[in-house]
Amino acid sequence: MEPQDIKIAGITIAPGEEKQIDAQIAKLPSRTPIDIPIIVSRSTKPGPTLLITGGMHGDEINGIEIVRRIIANNYHRPLIGTMICIPILNVYGFINFSRQTSDGGKDINRSFPGTRNGSLASQLAYRLSQDILPLIDYGIDFHTGGARINNYPQVRAQLDDPKNLELAQAFSPKFMIHSPFREKSFRKEAAKAGKSILVYEGGESLRLRKHAIDVGVNGLLRVMKHLNMREEAPVSKGGLFHIKKSSWLRAKSAGIYHSFCRTGEFIEKGTVVGLITGPYGEFEHKMKAPTSGYAIAINNKPVVNRGDALIHIGFVE
């Protein structure tokens, strides 16, 4: 079957074409228009349509940089099928150094399927649901840890689904984590439409981390090779761990937190992984790992309250 023309925001992209579409979503109170650049590259040969997105949360810079590098290095030009690249979905958050949109702190990833006349987050979710989602077969949504959480590079998906598991294995990070759907998330909305979406997490918000970016770029190239959209991709270094369950070690008291472990390392049960101290020298509380597992994320915030998440420990069966 010959590939057909597709249309995004009123712009037609024919097989063999590449276009940047500046999709206008809304205007600032100053009447300044807000456009979301969408880069579409199509082969003349039929094949799957792969969507890659960054910046759904505006302060998650590593995901934005991953999509930027894919475009800058011309990796987004497929041998077959179509690539749709959206480096910054949440332009409002990006220009305000914020996770959310600028109209009261709404989260786009908790706003799907969205509405035409709702909040800014809801409008963005609506446009993605209506204009992009019907066109794609697969997607990778690139994220970065929020709120000073440093995520070790990982892929999250509903891994009970064979298609999701196949894509995650092709991406081949060190950790692939079974993650149930969250209500009103992009991933759940895509699943309802029969589309497979992986969520990639790596690094810490408002800070570029080379390792997280490199793993994200290389993983995407491996997925493209798996889908026959390119001929070559970096070979995985192995060590793929399937994490089905995880839990957070939480602060037992408020104070200043000193972390003793690194993301990605294996922690034995009972190991002292951190220290919470009183700011006036009145106490020191040792934090011990309640079970053995991998540190898939670490909180880098030095001042913590009782109950704050400190270390995300993943269990490998």
Side-chain angles (χ1 to χ4, degrees), residues 19-282:
K19 290 184 179 180
Q20 176 173 314
I21 300 160
D22 295 323
Q24 187 179 126
I25 300 299
K27 293 183 178 181
L28 296 175
S30 63
R31 306 305 295 163
T32 303
I34 293 294
D35 295 337
I36 296 179
I38 303 171
I39 294 87
V40 183
S41 185
R42 305 195 66 199
S43 171
T44 55
K45 298 178 181 179
T49 297
L50 176 63
L51 168 70
I52 57 172
T53 55
M56 184 173 293
H57 298 129
D59 61 348
E60 297 185 0
I61 308 302
N62 289 304
I64 296 169
E65 174 62 10
I66 289 168
V67 181
R68 185 202 71 81
R69 288 194 188 182
I70 291 297
I71 298 167
N73 289 291
N74 295 321
Y75 297 150
H76 66 301
R77 295 173 176 165
L79 295 176
I80 64 171
T82 299
M83 285 281 290
I84 301 175
C85 308
I86 308 178
I88 307 174
L89 182 65
N90 181 3
V91 176
Y92 301 98
F94 179 73
I95 61 179
N96 288 296
F97 312 104
S98 171
R99 177 182 178 86
Q100 292 90 5
T101 54
S102 56
D103 59 337
K106 301 291 195 309
D107 187 338
I108 298 174
N109 209 24
R110 299 295 180 269
S111 302
F112 285 88
T115 58
R116 185 191 298 272
N117 298 313
S119 67
L120 292 177
S122 185
Q123 291 178 50
L124 287 164
Y126 180 80
R127 291 266 60 93
L128 194 58
S129 299
Q130 295 294 314
D131 298 345
I132 304 296
L133 199 53
L135 302 176
I136 72 170
D137 299 296
Y138 310 101
I140 304 177
D141 188 20
F142 289 96
H143 285 257
T144 307
R148 301 302 304 273
I149 301 296
N150 180 19
N151 285 320
Y152 193 87
Q154 57 195 254
V155 162
R156 300 178 184 178
Q158 186 86 14
L159 294 177
D160 292 339
D161 184 313
K163 286 195 297 183
N164 290 340
L165 180 60
E166 181 183 324
L167 283 182
Q169 290 173 331
F171 196 105
S172 194
K174 181 174 180 178
F175 301 118
M176 57 180 191
I177 301 172
H178 176 71
S179 179
F181 293 124
R182 292 190 175 185
E183 289 300 316
K184 298 186 176 182
S185 68
F186 178 43
R187 201 158 52 94
K188 183 169 185 178
E189 187 65 20
K192 290 193 295 186
K195 319 290 185 175
S196 294
I197 302 287
L198 298 182
V199 169
Y200 174 81
E201 290 274 359
E204 179 183 346
S205 60
L206 293 176
R207 179 174 295 179
L208 291 173
R209 287 190 177 269
K210 183 179 183 301
H211 179 233
I213 295 164
D214 289 345
V215 172
V217 169
N218 292 340
L220 172 58
L221 296 179
R222 285 192 287 269
V223 169
M224 291 180 67
K225 182 181 179 182
H226 175 74
L227 297 174
N228 297 315
M229 301 178 82
R230 63 179 289 113
E231 291 180 345
E232 298 179 351
V235 176
S236 173
K237 294 182 180 180
L240 178 62
F241 296 101
H242 185 168
I243 293 177
K244 295 184 178 181
K245 294 181 179 179
S246 62
S247 67
W248 281 95
L249 172 65
R250 295 185 176 274
K252 294 182 179 179
S253 60
I256 299 173
Y257 175 54
H258 309 258
S259 178
F260 295 163
C261 69
R262 295 178 178 271
T263 54
E265 72 178 15
F266 186 79
I267 301 170
E268 294 283 356
K269 180 179 179 180
T271 301
V272 177
V273 293
L275 194 69
I276 297 177
T277 62
Y280 306 107
E282 70 276 31

